Amino acid sequence: DAALRALEDHDIVLIHVETSALEWGKRATVHELTHLVIHQKIRSPLGDLSMPRWVDEGLAMYYETYPDTLDSQFNSPLKRAIQNDTAVPLRTLSGSFPADSAAANLAYAQSYAAVEFIYRKYGKDKMATLLQEFKKGGHYDDILKKVLGVDTDGLDNVWRQDVGLKPRAVVTRASTQPTAFPTYSLSTDATPTPGAAKPTATPQQV
């Protein structure tokens, strides 16, 4: 058996890997260490981390595999999703990932694909700027549009075009700002505005 998990709040990676799974353990360690670096550098002074789940997991997957490509556990479902036009909308991957292992594998694979696409199309400087903007806080769509020129749906469609898929029909979203209400809870500039999904704690890698 093998188990590995990052405890970002305590800057700890817990590893239990059998000798027969050392290669997996090496890759998974890089994956979890990437989470630790992201959470140390991007979270607010109060400890909040506000970014789409696909960015957090996509970066971990990217550096886990770099300079190679995804292994078959993730690459095969990604290829099938592209061939069958069943890729999950990127906006869906901004929050919690599915519990089902097959669906989770596709979620991780698409997150990798989105991050790899940003590096390839926009460059590493844009990715660095994107992360700093997430650290400042704000609505995910506003941050993506400010840095990349497209919101979540727009980035999804640019990626889809890159892999040979037709763009999705984008639902028109209200442009008016929501009404603010007073609150007695702590608030920071890293807290997303209403409508921005807040990622949950990083689960054990599948």
Side-chain angles (χ1 to χ4, degrees):
D1 293 336
L4 192 152
R5 184 174 183 179
L7 304 178
E8 293 87 356
D9 292 340
H10 303 284
D11 299 333
I12 295 174
V13 174
L14 301 178
I15 305 175
H16 176 206
V17 181
E18 297 291 342
T19 55
S20 59
L22 286 179
E23 287 305 314
W24 175 88
K26 291 176 184 178
R27 296 193 307 272
T29 299
V30 174
H31 181 108
E32 301 301 341
L33 286 175
T34 302
H35 282 311
L36 290 186
V37 172
I38 291 173
H39 286 239
Q40 287 177 0
K41 296 296 184 180
I42 305 303
R43 65 189 177 192
S44 75
L46 291 182
D48 292 333
L49 179 71
S50 181
M51 66 169 59
R53 181 69 180 278
W54 64 264
V55 175
D56 190 15
E57 292 297 348
L59 284 167
M61 292 292 292
Y62 181 85
Y63 286 105
E64 170 188 340
T65 60
Y66 186 85
D68 299 321
T69 57
L70 291 172
D71 60 33
S72 59
Q73 177 185 352
F74 303 103
N75 195 39
S76 294
L78 178 62
K79 282 186 174 181
R80 285 195 299 270
I82 293 173
Q83 291 172 352
N84 300 329
D85 196 2
T86 55
V88 180
L90 191 60
R91 189 173 294 279
T92 303
L93 301 178
S94 293
S96 299
F97 280 9
D100 175 75
S101 60
N105 284 344
L106 178 58
Y108 280 103
Q110 280 192 228
S111 298
Y112 163 87
V115 166
E116 189 276 335
F117 177 70
I118 291 174
Y119 273 121
R120 179 162 46 85
K121 179 175 176 61
Y122 300 96
K124 63 180 182 180
D125 290 341
K126 288 290 187 181
M127 177 61 82
T129 302
L130 190 63
L131 294 177
Q132 290 305 314
E133 290 297 324
F134 282 129
K135 182 175 183 178
K136 295 177 184 177
H139 196 289
Y140 297 162
D141 282 338
D142 292 341
I143 292 172
L144 288 168
K145 202 160 188 177
K146 177 180 179 181
V147 179
L148 304 181
V150 290
D151 63 6
T152 304
D153 298 319
L155 179 62
D156 192 15
N157 277 335
V158 177
W159 172 78
R160 287 174 62 84
Q161 182 180 15
D162 183 68
V163 297
L165 295 175
K166 294 181 180 180
R168 300 183 193 276
V170 177
V171 178
T172 303
R173 301 180 184 277
S175 58
T176 57
Q177 293 296 319
T179 303
F181 292 93
T183 177
Y184 293 101
S185 63
L186 287 175
S187 176
T188 73
D189 60 359
T191 302
T193 55
K198 184 173 181 179
T200 57
T202 306
Q204 179 178 336
Q205 184 199 16
V206 294

